[in-house]
Amino acid sequence: MPKPRTRLKHQLFKSQARTAACSILANALPTQSGEAIVFRPIDALALDAFNGWGDGVHFSWEEVPLWKAREPWSFDLSIWCGSELCGLCFANPNQSRLRTKIIRLEGNPDIRHPLKNRVAAVAMLAVEHYAQKVGSRWLEIQEPAQEAMKVYQELGFKFDAFGRLVIDLKKVEHHLRCTINNQNGGDMPVTTPTPASPKTKPHSESKPRGATTSATQQRFLRVAVNGSKADEPSGVLAGSPL
């Protein structure tokens, strides 16, 4: 059982990660409805909304309190656009905390929800913030849904020598900064994309401009702003529901 001070640190890291990701999205991704994108824990409100997703193959998200009790470093995330629940995510660092694994990721099965084609990118943005705070070097998708493989590849994930679907945060940071510097002919910071107009076509490209973010966040954010070109599947994106 973690000490009270340790538990407080866990909660602080989680809250800071959700808040930071929300702030970036608020500036970069206005929605058609004008509703804000908000990250919250998977709480009673989220579970109540999840029950409205209807029949189908889902995770047992009602067991999240038990998961969190067993894994105090875990990161739980409910993704909202206004009053609509668009996605749920559960991630957990390994024992050394060098690798943060996305254990379960599920999007709202209704294809009309406002973050369709953006759930994975938006979730990764928040998880990456948390991974950086706990000192992880890699993000790993555990049991990626086959239908979502092209989405993860678009986000920069690759299979390593052990067959794990990962992204090396430090390697991507170095590579993308070098690429951007070469394109701009100098030492230019990586920045967030210009806010997209609600009428902008999902696949139109937004140019970087604005507040500085990490290179990995920049890549995730580009997909979040423009929408996935790979046609993100509805429902389960990572993990194996029982």
Side-chain angles (χ1 to χ4, degrees):
M1 179 68 67
K3 297 179 180 179
R5 183 175 296 181
T6 303
R7 288 199 301 269
L8 181 61
K9 181 170 68 173
H10 296 168
Q11 295 304 319
L12 180 61
F13 282 169
K14 296 171 190 179
S15 178
Q16 289 175 336
R18 297 185 191 107
T19 300
C22 279
S23 178
I24 291 175
L25 286 169
N27 293 325
L29 183 57
T31 60
Q32 291 187 9
S33 64
E35 300 279 4
I37 298 171
V38 178
F39 295 128
R40 298 190 181 111
I42 300 178
D43 53 16
L45 183 64
L47 294 177
D48 185 60
F50 162 70
N51 288 330
W53 282 5
D55 297 331
V57 179
H58 303 298
F59 293 112
S60 300
W61 291 105
E62 63 275 4
E63 296 179 5
V64 164
L66 296 177
W67 303 346
K68 291 195 289 186
R70 289 196 300 260
E71 303 290 350
W73 282 97
S74 61
F75 181 64
D76 59 308
L77 185 71
S78 61
I79 305 167
W80 298 80
C81 184
S83 60
E84 186 163 2
L85 179 67
C86 298
L88 294 166
C89 180
F90 186 81
N92 194 34
N94 65 354
Q95 190 170 5
S96 67
R97 298 200 295 276
L98 290 177
R99 184 183 302 271
T100 293
K101 300 180 181 182
I102 291 81
I103 309 296
R104 293 174 174 85
L105 177 60
E106 184 173 357
N108 190 324
D110 185 348
I111 61 173
R112 298 166 297 178
H113 77 81
L115 295 183
K116 181 70 175 73
N117 266 357
R118 292 170 165 84
V119 172
V122 167
M124 292 308 119
L125 189 63
V127 175
E128 192 270 357
H129 272 282
Y130 183 68
Q132 294 282 10
K133 286 190 172 296
V134 301
S136 293
R137 174 168 179 171
W138 295 276
L139 290 184
E140 177 182 343
I141 308 296
Q142 184 165 293
E143 297 183 288
Q146 189 60 40
E147 298 84 354
M149 286 301 304
K150 290 184 178 179
V151 176
Y152 292 127
Q153 291 168 355
E154 186 179 6
L155 291 169
F157 287 87
K158 298 179 180 179
F159 285 103
D160 66 10
F162 301 96
R164 299 175 297 205
L165 188 62
V166 301
I167 188 167
D168 186 329
L169 301 179
K170 294 186 182 298
K171 186 175 181 179
V172 170
E173 179 79 18
H174 174 74
H175 174 72
L176 287 185
R177 286 190 180 278
C178 288
T179 301
I180 291 173
N181 288 345
N182 290 337
Q183 290 175 348
N184 289 280
D187 186 15
M188 298 293 290
V190 180
T191 55
T192 59
T194 302
S197 166
K199 295 182 180 180
T200 300
K201 294 181 180 180
H203 294 164
S204 63
E205 295 294 335
S206 294
K207 297 181 179 179
R209 179 182 175 187
T212 299
T213 62
S214 76
T216 314
Q217 293 163 14
Q218 172 76 359
R219 186 163 195 162
F220 295 161
L221 194 55
R222 284 186 184 277
V223 178
V225 168
N226 296 306
S228 174
K229 297 177 182 179
D231 191 18
E232 180 180 274
S234 299
V236 173
L237 297 169
S240 296
L242 298 177

